[in-house]
């Protein structure tokens, strides 16, 4: 009986191990399928970019490099220490005079893992209407480029340098891009990247707009659920929770770097934001004030759209974007100004 029991236990253990291995294999297969679908979706969205913006802009995707990985799986392996390669969108207004200089907007996308999609169509058309050259980096961790690139994510870390590298690429490769008129804008995680860029490279940017910016990762880890926190503590990312390494999360948070601000800045937030709780942005605002920094901000009260309130195509959202463009105008002086809803409608619908 004892021998039979031992055999049964051994069989059960082996069976459980087999089940775990099969479940792990199924999970890996599912993840690979998800990434392949992301790649397909990205290729389709690239075609849509040409359909929606190609009448007013030359559109290109350029391949460039940022710094090496923050963490190497095998620091002594082949290729370790090589720069990270990534794609970046370039939008150039049609009909500009190439003998002149034009202002540049650096435009990082949002999302923990996301990409620069046609969600931003009308904003791109509005920027092109003003004769801005726009560069939008698909920085490390962006979706649509496979599992390996997805796992290169460095939220609040070297993705900031990828975005700054995209700025440098434009200035080095297009003689009509004005190095003295470069601004950066972004919403949500893109707002965090915009802020951290002007904190780390103030000499590179004349102005910054940060909409509903992720501002305090420590606070964020407190009010988000486990599945969200796992995106950061994954072994290929930070690899630790905020509880295990609070200083690492602090290093990546604009609210804890506010003393570095030297660039003209406008911040927008919304009290009913369902993604970036207003308390994060309030912390950023208080930190900037405590550091004696000059900047502008507006806290909107329960604006329809929540997190996306000023990126919608409603009249009110477009009125708010007119304010944003007016702020940028003061420092970048684009050849064409958007000052009214009539102007913004022209940007949206006229070639």
């Amino acid at each position: 009986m004892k021998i039979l029991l031992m055999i049964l236990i051994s069989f059960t253990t082996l069976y459980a191990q087999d089940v775990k291995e099969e479940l792990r294999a199924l999970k890996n297969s599912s993840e690979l399928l998800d990434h392949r679908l992301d790649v397909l979706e990205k290729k389709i969205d690239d075609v849509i970019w040409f359909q929606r913006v190609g009448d007013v802009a030359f559109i290109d995707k350029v391949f460039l490099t940022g710094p090496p990985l923050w963490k190497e799986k095998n620091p002594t392996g082949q290729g370790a220490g090589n720069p990270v390669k990534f794609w970046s969108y370039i939008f150039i207004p049609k009909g500009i005079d190439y003998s002149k200089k034009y202002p540049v907007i650096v435009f990082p996308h949002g999302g923990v893992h996301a990409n620069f999609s046609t969600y931003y169509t009308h904003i791109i058309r509005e920027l092109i209407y003003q004769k801005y050259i726009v560069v939008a980096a698909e920085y490390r961790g962006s979706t649509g480029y496979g599992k390996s690139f997805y796992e290169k994510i460095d939220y609040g870390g070297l993705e900031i340098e990828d975005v700054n590298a995209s700025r440098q690429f434009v200035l080095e490769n297009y003689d009509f891009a004005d190095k003295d008129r470069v601004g950066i804008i972004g919403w949500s995680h893109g707002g965090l990247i915009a802020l951290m860029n002007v904190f780390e490279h103030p000499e590179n940017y004349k102005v910054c707009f940060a909409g509903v910016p992720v501002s305090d990762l420590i606070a964020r880890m407190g009010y988000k659920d486990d599945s969200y926190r796992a995106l950061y503590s994954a072994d290929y990312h930070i690899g630790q929770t905020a509880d295990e390494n609070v200083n690492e999360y602090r290093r990546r948070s604009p609210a804890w770097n506010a003393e570095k601000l030297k660039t003209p800045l406008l911040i927008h937030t919304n009290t009913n934001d369902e993604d970036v709780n207003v308390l994060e942005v309030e912390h950023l605002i208080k930190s900037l004030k405590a550091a004696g920094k000059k900047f502008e901000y507006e806290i909107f009260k329960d604006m329809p759209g929540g997190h996306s309130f000023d990126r919608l195509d409603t009249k009110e959202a477009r009125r708010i974007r007119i304010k944003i463009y007016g702020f940028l105008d003061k420092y970048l002086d684009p050849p064409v100004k958007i000052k009214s809803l009539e102007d913004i409608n022209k940007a949206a619908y006229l070639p």
Side-chain angles (χ1 to χ4, degrees), residues 80-347:
N82 283 349
V84 169
K85 294 173 282 190
F86 66 95
W87 294 93
S88 188
Y89 290 93
I90 307 286
F91 299 90
I92 299 173
K94 289 184 174 179
I96 61 174
D97 182 345
Y98 295 108
S99 67
K100 297 181 179 179
K101 297 285 189 180
Y102 292 86
V104 177
I105 290 290
V106 179
F107 191 171
H109 66 76
V112 178
H113 289 284
N115 58 66
F116 197 79
S117 73
T118 48
Y119 169 80
Y120 297 105
T121 292
H122 278 152
I123 295 175
I124 287 293
R125 290 188 70 95
E126 290 158 13
L127 292 169
I128 292 297
Y129 177 83
Q130 298 170 80
K131 308 302 181 189
Y132 283 114
I133 299 162
V134 182
V135 57
E138 298 280 66
Y139 50 82
R140 63 192 70 198
S142 295
T143 54
Y145 302 95
K147 183 174 184 287
S148 176
F149 192 73
Y150 178 98
E151 292 186 352
K152 287 180 170 65
I153 184 173
D154 190 14
Y155 194 106
L158 291 177
E159 61 183 22
I160 295 159
E161 301 307 320
D162 291 343
V163 170
N164 191 55
S166 73
R167 165 203 167 274
Q168 191 62 29
F169 178 92
V170 169
L171 299 181
E172 289 177 351
N173 288 278
Y174 304 101
D175 292 338
F176 49 88
D178 192 340
K179 65 180 179 60
D180 295 320
R181 289 189 292 164
V182 181
I184 186 166
I185 67 172
W187 280 266
S188 193
H189 176 207
L192 176 147
I193 294 176
L195 288 165
M196 296 298 277
N197 256 283
V198 297
F199 290 167
E200 298 300 328
H201 304 288
E203 69 284 358
N204 288 349
Y205 301 95
K206 293 296 182 183
V207 64
C208 175
F209 166 73
V212 290
V214 174
S215 302
D216 185 348
L217 287 180
I218 300 168
R220 197 164 180 78
M221 294 303 108
Y223 70 79
K224 291 294 185 180
D225 62 19
D226 286 342
S227 63
Y228 183 88
R229 288 190 284 266
L231 296 171
Y232 296 82
S233 59
D235 59 357
Y236 56 79
H237 193 189
I238 296 175
Q240 294 174 299
T241 64
D243 179 57
E244 293 168 327
N245 192 346
V246 70
N247 285 332
E248 188 57 45
Y249 286 77
R250 178 174 179 156
R251 180 178 74 86
R252 298 165 183 263
S253 300
W256 296 99
N257 288 272
E259 74 282 355
K260 298 177 182 178
L261 180 68
K262 296 179 181 178
T263 306
L265 169 65
L266 172 63
I267 300 168
H268 280 177
T269 189
N270 189 10
T271 56
N272 64 355
D273 191 323
E274 74 283 5
D275 185 332
V276 178
N277 193 292
V278 69
L279 69 85
E280 281 194 58
V281 189
E282 287 174 334
H283 180 198
L284 171 65
I285 291 167
K286 290 176 180 177
S287 296
L288 289 167
K289 287 180 176 179
K293 301 300 179 180
K294 291 182 179 180
F295 65 103
E296 297 182 28
Y297 72 94
E298 190 165 357
I299 300 175
F300 292 84
K301 303 294 184 183
D302 297 329
M303 282 291 295
H307 189 57
S308 303
F309 78 101
D310 58 357
R311 285 170 284 173
L312 301 175
D313 293 317
T314 61
K315 278 188 176 181
E316 191 55 42
R318 288 194 264 182
R319 285 193 182 101
I320 295 168
R321 289 207 295 279
I322 291 169
K323 290 183 180 180
I324 296 169
Y325 299 141
F327 181 77
L328 299 176
D329 287 351
K330 292 186 289 185
Y331 304 95
L332 302 178
D333 190 27
V336 180
K337 311 289 195 298
I338 285 182
K339 295 184 177 181
S340 67
L341 285 175
E342 182 181 359
D343 291 338
I344 219 167
N345 284 334
K346 288 179 183 177

Side-chain angles (χ1 to χ4, degrees), residues 60-72:
D60 197 8
K61 280 186 82 170
V62 296
F63 205 33
L64 59 154
T65 60
L69 291 173
W70 174 57
K71 291 195 302 185
E72 293 277 6

